[in-house]
Amino acid sequence: MLRRLYDWTLSLAARKSAQWWLAGVSFIESSVFPIPPDALLIPMVLSERMKWLRYALVCTISSVAGALLGYVIGAFLYETVGQSILSFYGQEQAFQNIADWYNRWGGWGVLFAAVTPFPYKVLTIFSGATGLNLTVFILVSIIGRGFRFFLVAGLLYRYGPPIRTFIEKNLGLLFTLFMVLLIGGFLAVRYIF
């Protein structure tokens, strides 16, 4: 089953709608969706390595636009929508605990979440709800998301065939590692912050 899912995801790169799927996942992941766009970015770059810059740019622009949606949810819809999303991730109480600290140091937090497997959407909502400076928010989002997606796509472009062979030989192990990192990020949000 995992092999069929991997092959199907690789086949997305050949579709005319592939970039739209990538843009959509990148956008919605920054505010509410739990699956990172890397799940599409990686196989798309591996399938069509010469489009690595385009795919990284699509991810970055869409992700930052989605981050603005998260910011708006936090700023204007916190009590109706934002609290529900934060509650889903177990973070409703954490909001009260870090709001003051976050307004002082939140740009670094956004940058950290933009680059790592940490659930970025949590900090996009926090940013809007606490009133983090919008210019700082946008700049660190562009830097962090751009760094992450261009680094991943660039490495795949540069070392594509050996990485593809490695992925195909170790698909089960890599999927398990990916899930551990993803779940670990959500657990870190729930129990550390």
Side-chain angles (χ1 to χ4, degrees):
M1 181 179 97
L2 190 56
R3 170 62 60 185
R4 277 184 282 157
L5 180 61
Y6 175 76
D7 290 338
W8 175 79
T9 307
L10 276 178
S11 75
L12 281 178
R15 296 183 183 181
K16 291 184 181 194
S17 61
Q19 286 185 79
W20 291 107
W21 281 103
L22 183 61
V25 169
S26 299
F27 178 85
I28 199 76
E29 182 269 340
S30 293
S31 53
V32 294
F33 193 60
I35 306 298
D38 306 68
L40 280 176
L41 176 65
I42 292 169
M44 288 175 69
V45 173
L46 287 175
S47 181
E48 294 192 63
R49 287 177 47 222
M50 297 309 290
K51 293 185 177 180
W52 74 276
L53 281 171
R54 178 184 297 175
Y55 293 152
L57 186 62
V58 165
C59 270
T60 301
I61 292 170
S62 300
S63 183
V64 172
L68 288 171
L69 174 62
Y71 190 95
V72 167
I73 289 170
F76 299 109
L77 303 173
Y78 177 72
E79 291 187 17
T80 56
V81 177
Q83 282 183 326
S84 298
I85 294 170
L86 293 176
S87 178
F88 176 79
Y89 292 106
Q91 293 305 302
E92 60 279 345
Q93 184 58 41
F95 175 79
Q96 297 302 320
N97 298 338
I98 68 167
D100 290 335
W101 174 88
Y102 190 76
N103 278 331
R104 195 170 306 138
W105 301 103
W108 291 106
V110 172
L111 183 62
F112 171 79
V115 175
T116 66
F118 187 88
Y120 182 53
K121 66 213 58 42
V122 171
L123 292 186
T124 65
I125 294 169
F126 276 156
S127 296
T130 63
L132 181 67
N133 181 287
L134 186 59
T135 303
V136 169
F137 176 77
I138 292 170
L139 287 175
V140 296
S141 292
I142 291 169
I143 292 167
R145 292 312 247 189
F147 176 78
R148 174 180 169 171
F149 297 134
F150 279 91
L151 178 66
V152 168
L155 288 172
L156 292 169
Y157 168 75
R158 175 84 168 99
Y159 302 106
I163 289 177
R164 185 174 184 163
T165 302
F166 176 79
I167 288 172
E168 289 175 354
K169 282 184 180 179
N170 300 292
L171 189 58
L173 175 65
L174 292 172
F175 178 76
T176 302
L177 181 61
F178 172 78
M179 293 308 293
V180 165
L181 287 173
L182 182 66
I183 293 168
F186 285 110
L187 291 174
V189 167
R190 184 173 197 99
Y191 295 109
I192 295 174
F193 301 97

